[in-house]
Amino acid sequence: MINLKTITLQLIDGEPNGIKLCRLAGSTLMTIVIPRALLSRAKKLPEIPKRGVYYLLDDNKGCLRRVYAGQTVQGISRLDDHHAKKDWWNTAVMHLSPDSEFSLDVVSGLEKRMISYIADHGSYASENSVIPKPFVSPYTEAFIANLHEDILFRMGVLGFDLGAVDDVESVPPTRPSGALEADFDAIGDDAADDGMVFHTTCRGIEARGRYDSGTGKFTVLAGSQVDVAMLCGSREKVNTGLESRRDSLRDEGLLVLEDGVWRVVCDVDFSTPSAAATFVLGASQNGWTEWVSESGDTLSSVYRGK
């Protein structure tokens, strides 16, 4: 038996990178992808429902860096406030339905589930500082759970996989001479000449790295420990890309076992701080809060506070 789902995707003005309307057969839920630059155009669209939930995304060609989840009873007009007060997002994805289909209790419960999910999954940073605690009737819990699964499915189809952990950049490492004998602290101090060095000691794993604010890449420095016993990714989805990266480095002799501890003997570049933290620590990590400076400041407070 083949299980099929039918999705209708409409491109406003025929632009592949413009506003998109997405509908799933048998559902009244309308999904709207709105590039920030086209917000004024989107607000002019007719017959758009006003009640529902939405994501704000810092999206770089499918690589999510930051995500914010919220609810609305104003439809697309709700984005005006975010446009004025939040300068980091470039794409909004709204999931709206007629008021008769979405009660306010359902919307609040769905928002809570969305915020909790993005806080626990993926390698992006969650921009929601608080997880709301609305009352959710036990009679609507299953309905809300199904709605959330529907929304995650649509986000994945549209290229915004909220459960994925970003993979590493395919940058071939260079084995430094004498790295196996080099002292870990000395490596970190030398690297600090090129920028601020951040570290993690989560679960006793000592690793250091450096962030490039121009490219968004994070480099794990030679000598850093790697917890190879902890798989990369979430319980629902192992990050095969990062696991393969570990295997490749082991095969090349660049991730080695020393005195019962696995270490990289070269600098390794990653596409995001969270991918680097996940590679080092396993599980799913938020690199913006996991990497801290010598003074205890998180990567987020140092670079996003500027």
Side-chain angles (χ1 to χ4, degrees):
M1 182 177 68
I2 300 177
N3 184 19
L4 297 176
K5 288 188 177 181
T6 301
I7 285 186
T8 301
L9 185 64
Q10 298 172 302
L11 308 180
I12 302 301
D13 299 324
E15 293 293 334
N17 296 319
I19 303 167
K20 301 179 180 70
L21 301 182
C22 176
R23 295 179 176 88
L24 188 62
S27 172
T28 61
L29 188 66
M30 176 186 292
T31 298
I32 310 171
V33 180
I34 306 173
R36 182 173 184 146
L38 298 177
L39 177 56
S40 296
R41 174 73 177 97
K43 288 165 58 179
K44 298 177 182 178
L45 295 175
E47 301 178 3
I48 301 297
K50 294 187 177 297
R51 184 174 293 182
V53 292
Y54 62 90
Y55 296 100
L56 302 181
L57 309 175
D58 179 4
D59 170 54
N60 180 22
K61 298 181 180 179
C63 175
L64 299 179
R65 296 175 178 173
R66 307 192 216 179
V67 179
Y68 175 91
Q71 63 169 287
T72 180
V73 294
Q74 302 170 293
I76 297 176
S77 296
R78 175 69 180 93
L79 300 180
D80 285 339
D81 186 58
H82 293 310
H83 184 71
K85 296 179 180 179
K86 294 180 174 67
D87 61 1
W88 56 266
W89 64 277
N90 54 32
T91 305
V93 184
M94 310 194 81
H95 305 276
L96 307 174
S97 191
D99 292 0
S100 59
E101 300 290 332
F102 269 13
S103 70
L104 292 177
D105 289 344
V106 167
V107 171
S108 296
L110 184 56
E111 178 194 39
K112 175 188 176 182
R113 183 174 286 266
M114 291 164 55
I115 293 174
S116 297
Y117 185 89
I118 65 175
D120 294 337
H121 291 73
S123 61
Y124 46 78
S126 171
E127 291 295 320
N128 292 91
S129 58
V130 177
I131 298 178
K133 298 180 179 180
F135 169 77
V136 178
S137 168
Y139 296 105
T140 62
E141 287 181 349
F143 177 58
I144 292 173
N146 289 334
L147 274 175
H148 185 236
E149 288 300 318
D150 181 12
I151 287 173
L152 291 177
F153 172 76
R154 294 173 186 232
M155 295 293 288
V157 169
L158 292 167
F160 308 116
D161 189 351
L162 295 174
V165 181
D166 289 339
D167 204 347
V168 299
E169 287 290 306
S170 179
V171 179
T174 302
R175 185 177 202 150
S177 175
L180 286 174
E181 292 76 25
D183 180 75
F184 176 63
D185 290 332
I187 293 174
D189 292 339
D190 291 342
D193 293 339
D194 295 325
M196 183 177 293
V197 173
F198 294 82
H199 71 277
T200 178
T201 56
C202 178
R203 300 195 306 273
I205 302 300
E206 298 181 354
R208 294 188 180 184
R210 193 167 51 241
Y211 179 65
D212 186 335
S213 59
T215 64
K217 294 180 181 179
F218 193 92
T219 300
V220 173
L221 300 178
S224 294
Q225 295 181 14
V226 178
D227 189 358
V228 298
M230 184 71 71
L231 288 175
C232 298
S234 66
R235 289 177 295 180
E236 296 84 358
K237 185 175 182 180
V238 174
N239 189 308
T240 56
L242 289 174
E243 283 296 319
S244 296
R245 186 63 165 167
R246 285 177 171 183
D247 291 340
S248 296
L249 290 173
R250 271 192 294 241
D251 292 342
E252 296 168 16
L254 300 177
L255 175 59
V256 300
L257 184 63
E258 288 185 292
D259 299 325
V261 176
W262 287 93
R263 296 182 187 272
V264 290
V265 297
C266 60
D267 293 352
V268 185
D269 291 338
F270 296 84
S271 59
T272 66
S274 295
T278 299
F279 173 86
V280 167
L281 299 172
S284 292
Q285 307 294 334
N286 184 343
W288 290 100
T289 55
E290 186 57 50
W291 296 107
V292 297
S293 68
E294 294 301 323
S295 60
D297 296 319
T298 65
L299 186 69
S300 178
S301 66
V302 171
Y303 283 94
R304 292 177 176 174
K306 291 184 179 181

